[in-house]
Amino acid sequence: MELNSWFQKGLTADEYINSMKQNKEEMLSIYEKFSLSADDKMKLEAIQAQNLRGIVLTEDWCGDALLNNPILMRVAEAAGIELRFVLRDQNLELMDQYLTNGTSRAIPIFIFIKEDGSEAAVWGPRAAEMQALVMERRAALPDKDAADFQEKQMEVYKQLRAEYLVDSNIWQTVANSIIAALVK
């Protein structure tokens, strides 16, 4: 299936939000609190004439989607980009075209398309700085064979999630990364 068809198949932002069973309040909290700077809005206004649209490969249980999707929604508003949300687990045919490192079905993945359905840019699943932070935290974990590995890993994920919900510097880092992918 070509990208225009995937876009048409996707849920609008409202449909996606209304269907969410996990992380809805948290995602909406970030969306409500985050706003783009005037400089960011100017950069994004410059691409409005491109009439881009965005396909968001996501799932509501995903911690990275919890952080990145509301930031994308603000970016898309400023850039005049209509978004459609496609659930990864029900659409592996599309997901498998956008594997992270060629192997991982990591999400979210944002696919920006032109009017003719051709790909204009792809972003995800994390900003480079956020990936470095996650890798740094994982490096401090005990060996995977250690008895307390899973417990320590869950602590790391809980801590990251807590930071995602309140740290406006993280939000801006994500916005900068998405904007850089669009305004190249």
Side-chain angles (χ1 to χ4, degrees), residues 3-183:
L3 292 174
N4 273 330
S5 297
W6 285 109
F7 179 83
Q8 293 303 324
K9 180 179 178 175
L11 303 169
T12 66
D14 285 342
E15 289 169 338
Y16 173 68
I17 291 166
N18 290 332
S19 75
M20 291 179 75
K21 308 241 183 307
Q22 297 179 54
N23 294 322
K24 181 177 179 175
E25 291 76 23
E26 296 87 343
M27 189 190 88
L28 289 174
S29 172
I30 294 171
Y31 176 79
E32 295 298 324
K33 293 175 187 171
F34 178 71
S35 60
L36 292 165
S37 69
D39 185 48
D40 287 341
K41 288 179 182 177
M42 275 188 9
K43 289 178 194 172
L44 292 166
E45 285 173 8
I47 68 162
Q48 282 187 5
Q50 294 179 38
N51 294 320
L52 296 177
R53 291 168 294 139
I55 300 167
V56 182
L57 267 165
T58 191
E59 288 287 346
D60 65 356
W61 48 258
C62 175
D64 288 316
L66 158 75
L67 169 64
N68 297 322
N69 288 353
I71 306 303
L72 170 67
M73 290 164 62
R74 288 291 186 202
V75 168
E77 289 167 3
I81 297 173
E82 183 181 353
L83 298 175
R84 294 290 171 90
F85 293 75
V86 175
L87 301 179
R88 179 195 77 174
D89 295 347
Q90 296 171 19
N91 297 283
L92 296 178
E93 179 187 342
L94 178 61
M95 179 70 247
D96 287 349
Q97 295 176 47
Y98 292 93
L99 298 174
T100 301
N101 299 324
T103 60
S104 174
R105 291 179 172 160
I107 52 175
I109 299 293
F110 306 152
I111 308 159
F112 299 99
I113 60 174
K114 300 173 186 174
E115 288 180 88
D116 66 2
S118 63
E119 194 178 278
V122 176
W123 185 94
R126 293 186 182 118
E129 299 88 343
M130 296 309 302
Q131 179 66 15
L133 175 66
V134 169
M135 296 309 289
E136 175 185 310
R137 303 271 176 92
R138 284 183 183 161
L141 289 172
D143 189 68
K144 285 187 179 185
D145 295 334
D148 63 346
F149 173 77
Q150 274 198 299
E151 176 188 337
K152 297 291 187 190
Q153 183 181 40
M154 290 311 296
E155 287 174 19
V156 165
Y157 291 151
K158 280 184 180 179
Q159 183 181 10
L160 282 167
R161 178 185 166 88
E163 292 172 39
Y164 288 176
L165 292 173
V166 298
D167 191 335
S168 61
N169 291 322
I170 288 175
W171 303 342
Q172 189 60 53
T173 296
V174 171
N176 293 345
S177 178
I178 296 169
I179 292 167
L182 287 168
V183 185

